[in-house]
Amino acid sequence: MTERDEWWRRAVLYQVYPRSFADSNGDGVGDLPGLTGRLDYLAELGVDAIWLSPFYASPMVDFGYDITDHRTVDPVFGTLADFDALLAAAHARGLRVLVDFVPNHTSDQHPWFLDSRSSRDSPRRDWYVWADPAPHGGPPNNWLSTFPATGAAWTLDAATGQYYLHSYTAAQPDLNWHHLEVRVAMTSVLRFWLDRGVDGFRIDAVHRLIKDPALSDNPPSVAALRTALSPGAQLLRHIDQPGVHEVLRELHAVVAGYGPDRLLLGEVGVADPTRWAAYYGRGDELALPLNFAFWSQPWSAAGFRQAVATTERVLPPGAWPVYALGNHDLSRLASRYNHDGRGAARARLAAMLLLTLRGTALLYYGDEIGMTDVAVPPEQTVDPDGRDPVRTPMQWDSGPAAGFGPGQSWLPVPPAARTVNVVTEDHDPGSLLTLYRRLLSLRRDEPALSVGSYAPLPPSGDVLVYRREHQGRRILVALNFGDQPAALDVPDAAGGEILLSTDPHRAAGEQDEPVTLAATEGVLISATIEAGSAP
Ligand code: NOJ
């Protein structure tokens, strides 16, 4: 396999949140056998790989992102044998499997941390980040947890008189990646899963792995805005440190040792585009660093056009973009843009955008059927950062618990599940699921849409237009972000064939007149290439 035709460049990845996908044993929580039983659905949908959020042994304070044993499946999800069976069944269907790797922290119940906190002299003391109180008492500096409800990123261990660092809840102490033994222990976790046959990893919170060793206070943020990227009124200078790139090269080398087709995808919460792009390294760090810019994009053609342009501009040579519009930490796509009740139409347009951009696409389970944020009553709220509404059970059918499992599900199923579900949408030609299937199948059949070049056309109102082209085949993508119809006045659209519209009522076929896009309509047109026209 050459550097430029790795499988993941054409791929569509699908994130499964194992607790919420399918419950095989009726305990209300999704599990690995449940997922195995639903693989045919994913293969038919047409995705290439699944990424599983953590399923390792965990007290579940952060629902699996707090690990006590990286090599064990938590009993709530099944057993290692269930994992092996899942992997084999996925591979048998041509689906690759990526697992979550959570290197920044462990659970405070992990034996390493129990050992570390047991005494200042513990051989594992420095596996975590410990510091003395500030001169006049209190936490060593002003660093904050990512979760606003947690507050300070430091918790005092009264017995040993020092504070430990936690970028998330106090039950998730940060590992010290300056320590060689930590690196050895954690890279052996990668090997454990690679040896079992996984196709790669999604690395959690990559940009946080190395902190400012001087433990300097963060400066105040002028904007003092709280966003997903900068909680609290301070600039996050303590993370995204240069040393993280050395760590990533080490992780890359371990994974690359298993062959060129094992993928490293990573969560890089760095807002500055150039700093974000540094996580590709020279092709020796992350193959696909996730780009947060897309997640906070207001609904406008100009906004998305700009986000793509920025990504394309900062990409190092040979690097490949990856785009996602949802995950288990974010408001659902169909809800995020629903301020005026048009969220469902926008979810259709967003699907066309995501699956026709130059880059690997990552889907979040349930977004393909239009699941929305679900109101979770206070007595059922469990997540420390309020993310339960976006993690509710997959809606398979209109039956009890939406077909998620035989028991009461761990999070509620909304009344909307009676119509927003796989079975109901399966045979409906106008459903979102049908649109996703068509887009996925077109993308598979048309290299122009997956690996073709990307050329944006000049902006026209609230319509985003770009060309994708590969070996003489050109496809024009026109997405009307506006709430009004818009004429598509693009020369190479005339005479082309409409391959697909987000509007199920528009017939596919030849198109002579200038196309008028309906409000929030997107179309794919196989465009003519004039002799001598610019590529
Ligand atoms: C990012 C994960 O996506 C999120 O769910 C988790 O809470 C934090 N990292 C901590 O692991």
Side-chain angles (χ1 to χ4, degrees):
M1 194 180 288
T2 66
E3 189 200 308
R4 288 179 177 269
D5 65 6
E6 298 98 338
W7 66 271
W8 39 263
R9 293 187 186 242
R10 293 171 193 245
V12 177
L13 318 176
Y14 184 99
Q15 181 189 355
V16 170
Y17 195 67
R19 282 187 89 75
S20 302
F21 202 62
D23 171 18
S24 71
N25 60 4
D27 65 358
V29 173
D31 45 48
L32 300 183
L35 167 56
T36 304
R38 293 294 189 175
L39 287 176
D40 285 337
Y41 165 75
L42 296 177
E44 266 171 48
L45 179 62
V47 298
D48 302 280
I50 51 180
W51 149 35
L52 293 178
S53 282
F55 49 81
Y56 318 110
S58 166
M60 304 291 167
V61 172
D62 191 12
F63 295 96
Y65 284 95
D66 49 322
I67 298 170
T68 48
D69 184 347
H70 297 92
R71 300 159 194 250
T72 305
V73 174
D74 193 277
V76 83
F77 296 122
T79 62
L80 263 182
D82 290 332
F83 179 80
D84 292 340
L86 165 65
L87 194 59
H91 285 167
R93 288 164 178 78
L95 291 167
R96 302 190 199 236
V97 177
L98 313 173
V99 297
D100 221 302
F101 179 58
V102 187
N104 180 69
H105 47 270
T106 66
S107 161
D108 64 346
Q109 301 305 308
H110 194 295
W112 298 343
F113 186 70
L114 295 178
D115 202 1
S116 178
R117 87 182 295 171
S118 66
S119 132
R120 288 196 187 205
D121 301 326
S122 156
R124 289 214 177 87
R125 184 66 168 182
D126 292 336
W127 280 39
Y128 292 83
V129 184
W130 290 96
D132 290 331
H136 303 293
N141 62 29
N142 70 352
W143 298 355
L144 296 172
S145 157
T146 313
F147 297 153
T150 301
W154 296 97
T155 289
L156 179 66
D157 176 59
T160 58
Q162 284 191 308
Y163 282 83
Y164 66 88
L165 179 67
H166 50 87
S167 295
Y168 299 92
T169 70
Q172 294 164 287
D174 281 26
L175 283 163
N176 174 15
W177 276 81
H178 292 286
H179 201 301
L180 184 65
E181 287 170 16
V182 167
R183 296 187 184 204
V184 171
M186 288 303 284
T187 48
S188 89
V189 171
L190 290 179
R191 288 202 177 84
F192 175 84
W193 292 102
L194 288 163
D195 287 339
R196 288 201 109 77
V198 302
D199 299 287
F201 301 90
R202 174 270 190 184
I203 311 184
D204 189 65
V206 174
H207 54 294
R208 291 185 174 271
L209 281 187
I210 296 284
K211 281 86 181 176
D212 170 13
L215 303 186
S216 312
D217 273 349
N218 278 326
S221 143
V222 177
L225 285 176
R226 221 173 53 63
T227 69
L229 291 179
S230 67
Q234 59 180 230
L235 297 173
L236 305 185
R237 289 275 159 75
H238 66 306
I239 53 174
D240 185 28
Q241 294 279 312
V244 72
H245 297 288
E246 185 200 320
V247 172
L248 275 177
R249 287 193 289 275
E250 224 173 292
L251 302 183
H252 176 98
V254 171
V255 174
Y258 284 75
D261 55 354
R262 311 275 182 135
L263 172 64
L264 271 189
L265 171 79
E267 181 196 35
V268 181
V270 172
D272 178 85
T274 312
R275 295 186 73 93
W276 164 80
Y279 285 76
Y280 286 100
R282 294 165 183 261
D284 54 0
E285 296 188 28
L286 294 175
L288 300 175
L290 283 164
N291 186 338
F292 278 40
F294 242 48
W295 301 343
S296 50
Q297 217 30 253
W299 185 257
S300 81
F304 279 98
R305 187 175 197 277
Q306 186 56 47
V308 174
T310 303
T311 303
E312 291 275 347
R313 178 171 54 80
V314 297
L315 277 185
W320 188 245
V322 56
Y323 295 106
L325 284 168
N327 69 27
H328 61 295
D329 298 330
L330 286 182
S331 175
R332 286 249 181 210
L333 176 57
S335 293
R336 206 174 329 140
Y337 296 115
N338 193 36
H339 49 278
D340 54 3
R342 300 180 55 83
R346 292 185 182 133
R348 299 179 72 85
L349 196 74
M352 186 170 271
L353 169 75
L354 186 63
L355 293 170
T356 61
L357 281 175
R358 190 182 90 103
T360 303
L362 171 57
L363 311 179
Y364 182 49
Y365 87 92
D367 278 356
E368 77 278 19
I369 54 172
M371 282 174 61
T372 51
D373 295 351
V374 175
V376 176
E379 65 280 8
Q380 266 185 285
T381 293
V382 285
D383 181 59
D385 198 33
R387 297 161 295 183
D388 301 314
V390 307
R391 300 173 174 182
T392 56
M394 177 68 179
Q395 294 162 196
W396 295 101
D397 59 38
S398 55
F404 168 69
Q408 178 81 28
S409 55
W410 74 291
L411 284 176
V413 167
R418 278 193 287 277
T419 51
V420 179
N421 66 66
V422 172
V423 168
T424 304
E425 295 188 33
D426 196 20
H427 297 295
D428 174 0
S431 71
L432 182 61
L433 180 59
T434 300
L435 177 64
Y436 265 96
R437 285 187 178 142
R438 291 201 177 133
L439 281 164
L440 283 158
S441 117
L442 249 184
R443 184 181 158 107
R444 211 172 26 251
D445 294 346
E446 296 274 9
L449 287 180
S450 53
V451 291
S453 59
Y454 167 84
L457 270 58
S460 150
D462 215 2
V463 183
L464 176 61
V465 190
Y466 47 91
R467 289 183 184 134
R468 303 293 316 279
E469 194 169 324
H470 183 72
Q471 295 181 346
R473 172 76 162 156
R474 178 185 287 176
I475 296 181
L476 192 74
V477 183
L479 307 168
N480 182 8
F481 281 70
D483 298 340
Q484 301 298 322
L488 181 63
D489 198 9
V490 178
D492 57 1
E497 183 194 347
I498 295 207
L499 301 172
L500 185 61
S501 165
T502 56
D503 178 352
H505 304 298
R506 184 191 285 273
E510 297 293 324
Q511 189 69 44
D512 286 323
E513 298 305 314
V515 181
T516 295
L517 297 173
T520 326
E521 185 188 12
V523 292
L524 302 181
I525 301 175
S526 76
T528 47
I529 301 181
E530 304 290 327
S533 74

